[in-house]
Amino acid sequence: KQEVTQIPAALSVPEGENLVLNCSFTDSAIYNLQWFRQDPGKGLTSLLLIQSSQREQTSGRLNASLDKSSGRSTLYIAASQPGDSATYLCAVIETSGSRLTFGEGTQLTVNP
Amino acid sequence: ETGVTQTPRHLVMGMTNKKSLKCEQHLGHNAMYWYKQSAKKPLELMFVYNFKEQTENNSVPSRFSPECPNSSHLFLHLHTLQPEDSALYLCASSPTALALGEQYFGPGTRLTVT
């Protein structure tokens, strides 16, 4: 059974800092990996999707990397802003393609 | 309205009540999903509908009953719930059930069972 773990569970940083969020998964037979953002009391917004054949994806200040063989992904946020404060969720789709398996998330607070 | 909408946004119900959650998507998608998000636990998939047919039931107790009358609407009927069912219930849609990476989520219904 696929398990997804995110470290740290919570992170508080001053504005302007570069930071890294970590995601690990137990079964490397994945189809793709996705990073989401969730604001308090709201649904999920997709940030980046990395196909299993890719090593990284970039969108603005966000860069996500994938090392499938070691079962790891990182989300790098450059020059963090208070508006980046949210919970960041990592999810994988296995090659069976049947479902998204989510991690518990990292709650990020960027202090002005 | 655009995207995925859910009503109500907040719901408090007793264990003997019957209520329904509603989800509507305006994206022309054919697959819809119910997820449960409990405190300090990963998001859990509950049900998947593809072209109005249920394709997955993730061992969900029968006190949760889904209904998908058409590809744009999804309901979750609730009855005789337990306090541990209190959670955020999220609806999502995607072009088809194969396009798992293209899911769009609604804002969720915060359910409290007393």
Side-chain angles (χ1 to χ4, degrees):
Chain A
K1 178 187 172 186
Q2 178 76 268
E3 292 183 4
V4 180
T5 304
Q6 291 187 244
I7 295 173
L11 181 63
S12 181
V13 301
E15 182 177 3
E17 194 162 295
N18 302 325
L19 56 99
V20 175
L21 308 182
N22 297 291
C23 171
S24 61
F25 44 95
T26 55
D27 186 345
S28 61
I30 65 168
Y31 183 62
N32 62 42
L33 183 144
Q34 198 163 5
W35 283 94
F36 292 87
R37 169 187 172 137
Q38 184 175 27
D39 292 284
K42 297 190 177 180
L44 279 62
T45 301
S46 179
L47 297 173
L48 290 165
L49 185 153
I50 312 176
Q51 301 290 348
S52 62
S53 58
Q54 297 175 317
R55 300 284 293 185
E56 63 179 307
Q57 280 283 346
T58 298
S59 175
R61 294 181 294 107
L62 305 179
N63 175 276
S65 67
L66 174 64
D67 184 343
K68 200 173 76 162
S69 61
S70 66
R72 296 174 188 267
S73 175
T74 61
L75 179 66
Y76 176 83
I77 303 177
S80 59
Q81 303 171 357
D84 295 330
S85 298
T87 296
Y88 290 80
L89 294 161
C90 166
V92 298
I93 298 174
E94 296 167 42
T95 50
S96 64
S98 62
R99 65 178 60 191
L100 279 168
T101 302
F102 284 85
E104 292 184 27
T106 293
Q107 186 174 350
L108 173 66
T109 302
V110 180
N111 301 300
Chain B
E1 282 198 78
T2 59
V4 181
T5 59
Q6 290 186 242
T7 55
R9 294 294 309 279
H10 300 273
L11 178 62
V12 179
M13 59 185 289
M15 290 191 286
T16 59
N17 291 159
K18 289 184 180 182
K19 297 286 185 183
S20 296
L21 310 185
K22 178 182 176 182
C23 175
E24 183 173 359
Q25 58 94 3
H26 308 269
L27 300 168
H29 290 167
N30 293 301
M32 297 187 76
Y33 311 77
W34 279 118
Y35 287 88
K36 176 182 179 181
Q37 188 175 34
S38 304
K40 301 190 186 303
K41 291 179 68 176
L43 216 65
E44 300 172 68
L45 179 67
M46 299 175 72
F47 302 103
V48 180
Y49 277 82
N50 197 35
F51 292 92
K52 300 189 300 179
E53 298 296 321
Q54 186 180 125
T55 58
E56 185 150 354
N57 176 338
N58 193 23
S59 302
V60 180
S62 60
R63 57 186 185 271
F64 295 91
S65 174
E67 179 190 0
C68 188
N70 55 61
S71 292
S72 298
H73 294 86
L74 185 64
F75 295 89
L76 188 62
H77 303 299
L78 316 171
H79 64 98
T80 59
L81 294 190
Q82 305 298 311
E84 60 265 28
D85 296 323
S86 297
L88 181 68
Y89 289 85
L90 290 165
C91 173
S93 72
S94 65
T96 71
L98 295 178
L100 294 169
E102 299 175 52
Q103 287 187 41
Y104 290 79
F105 284 79
T109 294
R110 173 69 62 185
L111 173 67
T112 303
V113 181
T114 60

